[in-house]
Amino acid sequence: MNRQLEDLIAKSNNIVFFGGAGVSTESGIPDFRSVDGLYNQQWKYPPEQIISRSFFEANPEEFYRFYRAKLIVKDARPNAAHLRLARLEAQGRLKAVITQNIDGLHQAAGSKNVLELHGSTLRNYCTRCGKFYPVEFIAESEGVPRCECGGIVKPDVVLYEESLDQKVLTRAVHALEAADLLIVGGTSLAVYPAAGLLRYYGGRELVVINMTPTPADRMATLCIQQPIGQVLGE
């Protein structure tokens, strides 16, 4: 337990958490940019290219092959970080979780106000008629998953070259503007425009919990280079 962090949490009544892939690595979900991350694995095409809108449209079979293998994670469970954040929300201290993750683990842990900047693998929709499909439909299908109407069923995740949801962005900005403590965890702050949201935070206290240095470290009240589940777990 980090005493300085716990003191900051105890003094704060409007906490916002901003997190990335490092929050879920302790649940067995690989991140993107570490040595063992998805972006350093060998595929026929670079993963950054595969999860782009233009690749999805030009080569959907290869997109779904990668998507099923690497982005749908079965049997993952919330870890200590997810559970602690849910408890802080239940106590009325944490007002929002802003996440770059698409795994739904914050909600599985009990968090209610989760702002998913990059969407969720748990939501899927027909690009023709809009019919909703659960993640199992994608996971258990072969090739390009298609709706009964014939349209392609696309995951509700934000691909490269796609815009973030404006309503989610607006809610995230409002949460950051009102916060008195911002905890940034498990993110290298290398993905924009998501990382650019930090400029809307006007509070005094900033905590960064990440295994490697981030651009926000120089502005932080406290920097902790440890696994986030170990830091936030009680």
Side-chain angles (χ1 to χ4, degrees):
M1 178 180 292
N2 186 289
R3 179 50 56 194
Q4 187 177 354
L5 172 61
E6 295 304 323
D7 288 345
L8 289 171
I9 290 173
K11 292 190 303 185
S12 304
N13 292 304
N14 199 327
I15 303 169
V16 168
F17 179 81
F18 182 98
V23 178
S24 293
T25 53
E26 291 169 85
S27 294
I29 298 177
D31 65 6
F32 289 85
R33 289 178 170 76
S34 68
V35 173
D36 299 318
L38 290 182
Y39 288 173
N40 290 311
Q41 296 179 14
Q42 297 302 310
W43 285 78
K44 186 177 179 181
Y45 302 91
E48 297 102 315
Q49 181 182 351
I50 296 174
I51 54 176
S52 67
R53 179 71 190 205
S54 55
F55 190 93
F56 169 79
E57 293 176 348
N59 198 342
E61 291 226 1
E62 186 68 14
F63 170 87
Y64 281 103
R65 189 174 78 85
F66 177 85
Y67 185 84
R68 290 188 186 96
K70 293 298 179 182
L71 296 184
I72 294 178
V73 181
K74 298 178 181 177
D75 302 322
R77 297 288 181 268
N79 62 50
H82 298 107
L83 296 170
R84 177 71 187 286
L85 293 168
R87 287 196 296 273
L88 287 171
E89 183 188 64
Q91 294 164 6
R93 294 188 179 280
L94 182 73
K95 304 303 183 185
V97 169
I98 303 170
T99 182
Q100 299 170 82
N101 295 342
I102 57 175
D103 52 44
L105 289 181
H106 284 293
Q107 292 93 328
S111 290
K112 301 288 190 286
N113 192 26
V114 181
L115 307 179
E116 296 174 311
L117 297 175
H118 297 152
S120 173
T121 61
L122 304 185
R123 299 188 300 270
N124 305 273
Y125 64 93
C126 174
T127 54
R128 180 181 294 176
C129 73
K131 181 177 177 179
F132 172 85
Y133 286 88
V135 65
E136 291 79 14
F137 181 82
I138 303 283
E140 295 167 8
S141 61
E142 296 182 0
V144 179
R146 292 192 177 273
C147 176
E148 54 195 18
C149 79
I152 294 177
V153 177
K154 180 185 179 294
D156 188 14
V157 298
V158 179
L159 305 177
Y160 286 116
E161 304 163 357
E162 292 183 331
S163 300
L164 302 190
D165 185 288
Q166 194 59 49
K167 290 182 179 179
V168 175
L169 280 175
T170 298
R171 290 175 61 195
V173 168
H174 289 164
L176 287 164
E177 288 176 336
D180 60 7
L181 169 62
L182 173 60
I183 302 175
V184 175
T187 174
S188 60
L189 296 175
V191 177
Y192 283 80
L197 286 171
L198 265 64
R199 70 180 184 272
Y200 292 102
Y201 175 57
R204 179 177 297 178
E205 310 291 0
L206 170 64
V207 174
V208 178
I209 308 168
N210 199 52
M211 293 297 291
T212 56
T214 80
D217 292 0
R218 58 186 176 82
M219 301 173 287
T221 309
L222 175 64
C223 291
I224 305 172
Q225 290 191 8
Q226 292 177 251
I228 189 167
Q230 294 181 19
V231 177
L232 287 180
E234 293 177 312

